[in-house]
Amino acid sequence: MKRIIVTMLLLSLLGLVVPLSAKTTVTKEAWDLAHTLAKQYLRTDYTWFYSDAIALIGGLKVYELTGEEEYLRIVQEWAAGFHSSQIPTGHVDKDMPALVMLELYRLTGDTQYLHLAYRSVIDLVGGTDTIMKHSRFWADDLYMTCPLVALAGVLLQRDSYLTLVVNQFTAYKEALQKDNGLFQHTQDSAFSWGRANGWVAVALVEVLKTIPEDFPGYRTLLAMYQDFMMSILPYQDEAGMWHQLIDHPESYAETSSTAMFVYALAAGYNHRWAPEAMLEAFKEAALAGFAGLQAKLDDQGQLTNVCIGTNVGYTLEYYLTRPTRTGDLHGVAPLMWACTEIARLEGQ
């Protein structure tokens, strides 16, 4: 407990825990919504799979924002249900939940979490020097692999892991980024699915938050972030939303991708990851997107218009007709992340 209290004091001194009294209307709305979502969606019985783990990541982000120890306790109780021999590997979606364990280690210093994450980290870094094991060249993979390996590299002081992260991004950029700056879903599917692009955006944010600025390759990732953010801005609609297929305005406004872009843009503003004129555009788009997401909450406060889990598709019709689900974690978790960055915006 003492370690947690000291951690929160340090976060407060660094300005990472936002005092409620300092909030303006929009940032307070984001603060309140972050609390509401964490209370509603944090559970101890989530499985070891990416689509559950992202909600736990959201809970830890809300904990760091607010200092509410109950959110940390819930994630710790989830983690207590696993033994290293029970943790599945062999696929990027199965390795990604180890990021929750590494975040717990970062926050508490308890080495049990490091041990629980290590098997998944090794499963990913066991490939070549230029690509991670199990890489499929799906845009989604960048989030499933890079934040975990980057944080492991920093916590374990292994620069080779950080180099691997930079190489992974470079390889995926070369394979999947199109002339308009958007990412196609996979090498075999040229459609710019919204959430796949959202995964790219949040993966860039997480590694930029993690990798030291003086590390070789950091500037490569920063330039990729700036270029990608500028590429998505023209596709935001008048309601602040991005769409199921980003460059197909006839496709439906989709909330998981919008939440991911809001998180990425607001984080860029808060961390000053671009020139000032660019940052103002990021902030304006993030606020418009947050307003658009608020409008997609139903009368029960549930997020609507979340595209369900989606495999690779080879026709336009496949993506245009993907069903949506209200309250799906693919959208709720990124909305939690977005709230934590909107809550930190200045001057609103």
Side-chain angles (χ1 to χ4, degrees):
M1 181 62 67
K2 182 183 292 184
R3 183 188 299 275
I4 293 172
I5 294 172
V6 170
T7 298
M8 295 314 301
L9 286 172
L10 288 173
L11 290 172
S12 182
L13 288 172
L14 291 170
L16 298 178
V17 175
V18 182
L20 184 60
S21 60
K23 294 189 172 301
T24 55
T25 302
V26 175
T27 54
K28 186 179 184 304
E29 289 173 358
W31 171 288
D32 291 342
L33 183 55
H35 267 302
T36 298
L37 294 171
K39 289 175 182 177
Q40 185 173 4
Y41 286 97
L42 273 185
R43 291 173 18 202
T44 61
D45 63 344
Y46 280 135
T47 66
W48 187 278
F49 197 63
Y50 86 91
S51 54
D52 284 351
I54 57 176
L56 298 167
I57 292 291
L60 292 178
K61 289 183 185 297
V62 179
Y63 161 67
E64 289 191 87
L65 173 74
T66 65
E68 179 57 64
E69 292 188 14
E70 177 66 8
Y71 304 147
L72 176 63
R73 184 200 64 76
I74 291 171
V75 181
Q76 288 179 305
E77 187 173 337
W78 167 84
F82 293 94
H83 185 274
S84 59
S85 63
Q86 302 170 317
I87 293 173
T89 57
H91 192 285
V92 295
D93 293 345
K94 297 177 182 178
D95 286 327
M96 178 269 144
L99 179 61
V100 183
M101 296 297 186
L102 286 188
E103 291 288 4
L104 285 172
Y105 172 63
R106 178 180 66 83
L107 290 167
T108 68
D110 190 333
T111 56
Q112 68 168 316
Y113 301 123
L114 185 61
H115 295 316
L116 286 168
Y118 194 67
R119 185 168 179 239
S120 301
V121 173
I122 293 301
D123 190 48
L124 290 175
V125 301
T128 68
D129 292 337
T130 57
I131 203 74
M132 295 183 201
K133 193 175 179 183
H134 311 307
S135 295
R136 305 169 296 175
F137 283 95
W138 292 26
D140 318 40
D141 293 353
L142 287 173
Y143 180 79
M144 307 304 156
T145 60
C146 291
L148 170 61
V149 174
L151 187 53
V154 168
L155 295 175
L156 298 172
Q157 298 183 330
R158 297 188 181 178
D159 285 357
S160 62
Y161 288 7
L162 304 185
T163 299
L164 183 57
V165 168
V166 176
N167 290 341
Q168 182 93 341
F169 268 101
T170 300
Y172 272 59
K173 172 182 170 65
E174 292 175 354
L176 300 178
Q177 193 168 30
K178 303 196 291 188
D179 290 343
N180 62 5
L182 302 178
F183 281 72
Q184 59 188 60
H185 190 184
T186 73
Q187 281 185 302
D188 298 327
S189 177
F191 299 101
S192 294
W193 178 42
R195 188 156 68 238
N197 281 262
W199 289 127
V200 176
V202 297
L204 283 165
V205 167
E206 299 309 318
V207 298
L208 287 172
K209 285 184 177 182
T210 302
I211 294 177
E213 293 183 17
D214 60 354
F215 182 78
Y218 176 89
R219 304 299 299 183
T220 297
L221 296 173
L222 182 61
M224 189 182 301
Y225 165 83
Q226 293 173 354
D227 175 69
F228 186 45
M229 292 300 97
M230 293 303 293
S231 295
I232 66 169
L233 288 182
Y235 297 100
Q236 187 177 30
D237 71 18
E238 292 182 355
M241 302 294 294
W242 282 268
H243 287 233
Q244 166 72 350
L245 287 175
I246 297 178
D247 50 354
H248 281 264
E250 76 278 13
S251 64
Y252 58 82
E254 202 279 322
T255 51
S256 69
S257 57
T258 298
M260 289 175 174
F261 293 143
V262 169
Y263 171 68
L265 290 161
Y269 181 87
N270 289 334
H271 289 272
R272 320 310 289 176
W273 283 335
E276 194 63 32
M278 192 182 296
L279 288 175
E280 288 302 317
F282 290 1
K283 182 178 180 181
E284 181 179 344
L287 289 169
F290 184 63
L293 289 166
Q294 289 176 295
K296 294 297 183 182
L297 296 170
D298 67 15
D299 293 340
Q300 287 73 47
Q302 296 280 312
L303 185 65
T304 63
N305 281 57
V306 184
C307 177
I308 65 170
T310 294
N311 209 321
V312 58
Y314 301 102
T315 66
L316 177 64
E317 188 70 11
Y318 173 79
Y319 290 97
L320 292 179
T321 59
R322 291 301 287 164
T324 63
R325 181 180 294 130
T326 296
D328 192 296
L329 290 181
H330 287 94
V332 171
L335 180 55
M336 270 196 277
W337 311 345
C339 286
T340 64
E341 291 294 342
I342 293 292
R344 292 187 173 99
L345 286 177
E346 300 173 0
Q348 293 305 313

